Amino acid sequence: MSLAVDRVPHLAVVGNPNTGKSTLFSALTGIFTRTGNFPGVTVEMKLGRLKTSTREAVLVDLPGTYSLAARSADERVTVDVLLGLRPEIGSLAGALCIVDGTNLERNLYLFSQVRDLGLPVLLIVNMIDRAEKAGIAITALELSQRLGVPVVFCNAHDQSSVALVQKSIFDFIEQNQPAAHGTDLAAQQASNFDFPPAFETAVNELQGLLLAHGRKMPRPLVSRLLMDIDGQIEQTEVQRRPELSPHLQRLREQVSAAGYRISGIEPRVRYAAIRKAIAGLEIRPVRQAGQFSEKLDGWLTHSVFGLLIFIFMMFVVFQLLYRGAEPVMVLMETAFGSLQDLVGGMMPRGPLRSLVTQGIIAGVGGVLVFLPQIVLLFLFLAILEDCGYMARAAFLMDRLMTKVGLSGKSFVPLMSSFACAIPGVMATRVIENRKDRMVTILVAPLMSCSARLPVYSLLIGAFIPGVSFLGGWVDLRSLVLLAFLSLGAIVAIPVAWILKKTIFPGETPPFVMELPPYKWPSIKTVFQRVYDRAAAFVVRAGTLILLTSIVIWGLGYFPGDHTRENAILAEMEETRQIFEDPLQRRENLQQQLVGSDDAPHPSPVESASFENELNSLNQQLKEYDALMEQLEGEFIATQGQLQENSFLGMAGHWIEPIVRPLGWDWRIGVGVLASFPAREVIIATLGVIYNLGEGMEAESPQLRDALINSRNPDGSPVFTIPVALSIMVFFALCAQCMATLVVVAQESGSWKWAVFTFVYMTALAYVGALITFQVASLWW
């Protein structure tokens, strides 16, 4: 491994989970790091610059791992980066290995594996204040002499300690010369680890076999290939060279015949070497029975009380999520609406203006309006994770999630999806096991997100009878709403089970994790995590969602002639300008009569005066109101006609034979097609189709009446209870959210999984809607 002289030195940052690695990385590099995925996999790559006035280095923060026995994409990427096999990173000047000072012996296992790869290593012992409180008494100098590498103690939350680490890193870079590494480390390795001769012989033979097949592999990887049965390295190498498989089997049997179980060699040899190296040091914490953290663990991980505490905490989080995000979301919607009006007023009517206002601005607004929910959700998750609670929650939920083949870490992303599937899918990054993570990603969109509520509200209010039971305590409409909110979660159980049995087979790995110590969340770390997730959503998802919005706009706009539509709008604007002053006065009077938070209600005398003036204005504006009503009616009719004749409308007629078995006509088909980018769009689409305008809301009585009174050509009603149930089942199960599909593609690393999600959920929704309509038609 050579130190590149023509570029800034790159250093890998490695360590076990919960060692404070991310906190230290943030403290060293600041908040504005560069985050991305390694090409070909969804493993996150985070780079940050460590700078002084004269020196500079790039830190590569690798996923937290307990071992380099690569069984996951994270661990394989970590090994590749450490070996300099990732071209986007290149060769490394060394590695910074972060270990937890309170758990030194076990953390040194990963350290010993990293050092085996031939890299210069700087050992950073974090949480040293906790270690000292726990009774651990060692010095950096003594540990350095025992391990043969430079050692620095630190507390990642302490600025002076971080400054010491920064100085140590630059000293480490300067002191390590390329020529010295290989020889010293090879000797170090030979003296520290005593692998059985039978194993070394097998490694030599395997390395020779690989060379004979033209594969030159570093010796540490050859050892890994032999030791890690069914690991990532074996899967990759055997896929390229199937003839290697019988040789691996033979060599492992050869080692076993010599009396060594292949899977037990490495832990036995390494831990023996580690214990020998640190023999006599006081590295074990002095535990006292009845410590506060142990008592708290007893409550938080209790099968009954722990579950109740978890439910309460999630309830609080989601209450805060809804209540906290809503005002900002309303402000953003208002701001984008004002921007649409402002830009629209500066441009002449026509396709370009429609594209800018309805396609681009509406598309950007449609993306950014989710941002408050995403920021809040990841804020809460980051706080809970950094204080140590999420590890306890994952442990608690593991018992339930294993019933469907998932682990406890899948629960929080799935629960997050009830607010919005986008942050829920992104939250699956906490799941290390790729198969579990993929299954969680694929079923997360089934959770009933808030965007489905307007559809349920409209159809339940219009078609489900307002019947109450138990003396008015139980309402039928509430029960139906609860059933549809739960439907996706119920269906997700067999779907996850089938995915685990078919596409992602294999036993769910034992859920092994270390419960980190409780601590106050680091503001910097929390802010860093929230910033990373929010930026990733805006930059990566936003661009693709914007393009999709523009495409949908084009399908709904063309090929119609919008001349008459624009002329009507122009006439309406001119008419409003003529009557601008009395209109403004009428609006002011109406507000004064109603009162507001900023203005008190008028006195009876003032009210009488306002009402007299208002009646006079209404009389004065009578012709204006009649003309505007006529123009609005004509505009809505024209807009509905244009939509029917658009490419989107044509598609609605084309799919009518397909949706007829569900009880739908072409208008419902258009609404469903238009709502594939975002399911809540159906409300506005139905408003246009039924000549009521785009400004319809789920609670709009006009829209409900229009749906109830809608008729087929033979006079029968378009909407019935079976049709309404069929539509709601379809919306409960279908993947009608382009933003979610984009994020699924990004998080899974391939568009094929987004397509798979769309296809299986759409098929599930169609079959579910078909069965619902056919069965419900037997009663209604």
Side-chain angles (χ1 to χ4, degrees):
M1 189 64 58
S2 65
L3 177 63
V5 295
D6 56 346
R7 68 167 191 160
V8 175
H10 283 50
L11 298 165
V13 182
V14 294
N16 291 178
N18 300 319
T19 55
K21 183 169 69 67
S22 298
T23 303
L24 184 59
F25 177 81
S26 301
L28 288 168
T29 61
I31 61 170
F32 298 108
T33 55
R34 183 160 61 89
T35 303
N37 280 349
F38 284 98
V41 291
T42 56
V43 178
E44 191 172 83
M45 171 177 64
K46 190 180 292 181
L47 281 76
R49 287 189 176 268
L50 180 65
K51 297 176 71 173
T52 67
S53 57
T54 58
R55 297 182 288 187
E56 184 175 1
V58 172
L59 303 188
V60 184
D61 187 20
L62 295 173
T65 178
Y66 291 104
S67 157
L68 296 186
R71 293 190 175 277
S72 69
D74 286 14
E75 292 162 344
R76 182 57 193 267
V77 165
T78 299
V79 175
D80 286 349
V81 170
L82 291 171
L83 288 171
L85 300 178
R86 281 281 170 176
E88 61 273 24
I89 301 297
S91 61
L92 295 172
L96 310 179
C97 192
I98 318 295
V99 296
D100 176 3
T102 63
N103 206 347
L104 200 54
E105 181 178 315
R106 195 181 55 69
N107 280 202
L108 287 178
Y109 187 87
L110 176 65
F111 158 78
S112 71
Q113 290 181 321
V114 174
R115 194 175 56 174
D116 265 7
L117 299 179
L119 274 176
V121 178
L122 171 62
L123 184 65
I124 301 174
V125 183
N126 193 23
M127 305 183 194
I128 199 64
D129 55 346
R130 290 177 177 276
E132 290 171 352
K133 285 181 182 176
I136 294 173
I138 52 174
T139 65
L141 178 61
E142 189 175 14
L143 195 60
S144 175
Q145 290 172 343
R146 296 287 189 104
L147 299 176
V149 299
V151 176
V152 58
F153 285 180
C154 87
N155 297 306
H157 55 80
D158 180 16
Q159 196 57 42
S160 61
S161 186
V162 172
L164 176 62
V165 173
Q166 184 186 59
K167 179 181 180 304
S168 300
I169 291 173
F170 284 120
D171 292 344
F172 166 72
I173 294 172
E174 291 177 357
Q175 290 168 6
N176 281 282
Q177 297 302 315
H181 304 330
T183 305
D184 289 349
L185 286 169
Q188 187 80 44
Q189 179 182 337
S191 63
N192 281 343
F193 300 110
D194 186 19
F195 282 96
F199 178 78
E200 296 287 5
T201 302
V203 172
N204 291 336
E205 187 176 343
L206 182 57
Q207 195 165 27
L209 283 169
L210 290 167
L211 280 173
H213 288 84
R215 177 77 166 100
K216 186 177 181 181
M217 183 183 285
R219 186 176 177 81
L221 278 192
V222 179
S223 299
R224 298 244 69 85
L225 175 59
L226 188 61
M227 288 187 294
D228 300 340
I229 301 172
D230 294 329
Q232 281 274 323
I233 297 178
E234 180 178 348
Q235 291 175 22
T236 305
E237 294 300 323
V238 170
Q239 187 176 11
R240 293 173 182 168
R241 301 170 188 80
E243 65 277 12
L244 190 62
S245 185
H247 290 294
L248 273 174
Q249 181 66 24
R250 177 179 58 79
L251 291 171
R252 285 167 181 163
E253 290 175 355
Q254 183 178 305
V255 175
S256 297
Y260 302 99
R261 190 163 58 90
I262 197 75
S263 59
I265 290 176
E266 186 178 25
R268 183 174 60 79
V269 170
R270 289 195 184 279
Y271 276 120
I274 291 168
R275 292 186 188 109
K276 180 181 177 183
I278 59 178
L281 298 180
E282 294 183 21
I283 62 162
R284 294 182 185 278
V286 180
R287 290 196 173 277
Q288 298 176 0
Q291 286 182 331
F292 173 75
S293 62
E294 292 181 1
K295 290 182 179 177
L296 195 55
D297 279 348
W299 284 96
L300 295 181
T301 60
H302 191 275
S303 58
V304 177
F305 297 114
L307 188 60
L308 292 175
I309 293 171
F310 177 81
I311 292 171
F312 174 75
M313 291 190 70
M314 290 299 110
F315 172 78
V316 172
V317 166
F318 279 88
Q319 284 295 310
L320 293 174
L321 197 64
Y322 277 113
R323 294 176 184 274
E326 187 178 1
V328 185
M329 293 175 77
V330 170
L331 281 176
M332 292 179 72
E333 286 175 340
T334 305
F336 276 99
S338 300
L339 183 61
Q340 277 182 296
D341 294 340
L342 178 65
V343 174
M346 298 167 63
M347 300 177 68
R349 296 190 180 282
L352 182 60
R353 171 171 158 173
S354 180
L355 169 63
V356 172
T357 57
Q358 301 299 321
I360 297 176
I361 297 178
V364 172
V367 174
L368 293 184
V369 76
F370 289 106
L371 196 57
Q373 276 192 342
I374 289 174
V375 168
L376 276 181
L377 178 63
F378 280 109
L379 175 65
F380 295 136
L381 290 181
I383 292 173
L384 292 175
E385 185 177 355
D386 208 43
C387 72
Y389 176 74
M390 289 304 287
R392 274 82 182 173
F395 170 78
L396 183 69
M397 299 312 300
D398 182 63
R399 299 169 204 167
L400 299 177
M401 300 305 293
T402 49
K403 304 289 185 187
V404 294
L406 298 176
S407 74
K409 288 197 171 182
S410 299
F411 186 78
V412 171
L414 291 178
M415 194 162 182
S416 304
S417 299
F418 275 94
C420 176
I422 295 170
V425 172
M426 294 171 71
T428 61
R429 292 185 175 200
V430 301
I431 305 172
E432 291 91 355
N433 182 276
R434 178 166 173 77
K435 290 181 179 179
D436 283 8
R437 187 182 176 212
M438 285 300 303
V439 173
T440 308
I441 288 173
L442 297 181
V443 301
L446 282 170
M447 302 301 115
S448 192
C449 69
S450 57
R452 289 176 169 99
L453 278 174
V455 183
Y456 299 155
S457 176
L458 171 66
L459 295 177
I460 289 174
F463 298 103
I464 302 301
V467 180
S468 298
F469 310 100
L470 301 176
W473 285 93
V474 179
D475 181 70
L476 177 61
R477 288 174 174 169
S478 299
L479 288 178
V480 174
L481 178 61
L482 177 62
F484 279 101
L485 289 175
S486 308
L487 180 61
I490 295 170
V491 172
I493 295 172
V495 171
W497 185 83
I498 292 171
L499 289 173
K500 283 290 289 183
K501 292 293 181 184
T502 55
I503 301 177
F504 303 100
E507 292 295 321
T508 300
F511 183 46
V512 179
M513 70 179 301
E514 181 182 353
L515 295 182
Y518 294 103
K519 66 184 181 70
W520 287 107
S522 161
I523 295 175
K524 200 167 187 178
T525 301
V526 169
F527 182 77
Q528 173 80 56
R529 289 175 181 167
V530 174
Y531 173 81
D532 285 347
R533 300 295 183 265
F537 171 74
V538 173
V539 174
R540 291 183 289 179
T543 50
L544 292 174
I545 294 167
L546 175 60
L547 286 176
T548 306
S549 299
I550 293 173
V551 170
I552 294 297
W553 165 84
L555 292 174
Y557 188 86
F558 295 107
D561 181 359
H562 293 256
T563 305
R564 180 55 191 156
E565 180 190 41
N566 293 330
I568 296 172
L569 285 173
E571 187 176 352
M572 291 170 72
E573 284 182 7
E574 290 172 4
T575 306
R576 283 196 197 96
Q577 288 175 0
I578 293 172
F579 293 91
E580 185 175 3
D581 290 339
L583 283 172
Q584 184 62 51
R585 180 56 185 161
R586 182 166 69 174
E587 184 178 341
N588 292 339
L589 286 171
Q590 289 170 336
Q591 290 178 351
Q592 287 174 319
L593 278 170
V594 175
S596 66
D597 295 338
D598 300 327
H601 287 280
S603 65
V605 176
E606 290 174 326
S607 292
S609 173
F610 292 158
E611 285 177 0
N612 286 335
E613 187 179 357
L614 187 59
N615 290 334
S616 176
L617 278 172
N618 285 334
Q619 192 64 31
Q620 181 184 342
L621 293 170
K622 190 174 181 180
E623 290 185 8
Y624 165 84
D625 291 337
L627 177 59
M628 290 301 288
E629 184 178 356
Q630 175 194 336
L631 290 174
E632 285 174 0
E634 188 179 354
F635 173 76
I636 291 170
T638 304
Q639 199 177 37
Q641 191 66 37
L642 285 168
Q643 180 138 13
E644 182 176 353
N645 295 329
S646 69
F647 292 124
L648 205 60
M650 294 178 199
H653 283 288
W654 293 337
I655 67 166
E656 190 169 14
I658 300 173
V659 300
R660 264 298 171 195
L662 311 182
W664 305 356
D665 72 344
W666 74 269
R667 287 169 289 190
I668 301 175
V670 168
V672 171
L673 280 178
S675 61
F676 270 106
R679 48 181 63 87
E680 59 269 36
V681 171
I682 191 174
I683 303 298
T685 306
L686 289 176
V688 171
I689 292 174
Y690 285 95
N691 298 336
L692 297 172
E694 289 181 338
M696 290 296 106
E697 297 179 352
E699 296 79 11
S700 172
Q702 300 98 316
L703 182 55
R704 292 186 184 184
D705 291 343
L707 299 185
I708 293 170
N709 297 323
S710 178
R711 291 290 182 271
N712 289 309
D714 62 359
S716 61
V718 172
F719 285 87
T720 59
I721 291 179
V723 170
L725 293 175
S726 169
I727 295 172
M728 287 191 284
V729 168
F730 190 89
F731 273 74
L733 302 178
C734 191
Q736 294 165 293
C737 182
M738 183 53 65
T740 298
L741 293 175
V742 170
V743 175
V744 167
Q746 290 172 343
E747 295 300 313
S748 65
S750 171
W751 269 99
K752 75 176 182 181
W753 293 117
V755 173
F756 175 82
T757 303
F758 176 77
V759 171
Y760 102 76
M761 286 185 65
T762 303
L764 199 63
Y766 185 88
V767 173
L770 176 64
I771 294 173
T772 301
F773 176 73
Q774 298 297 335
V775 172
S777 296
L778 298 176
W779 282 276
W780 292 286

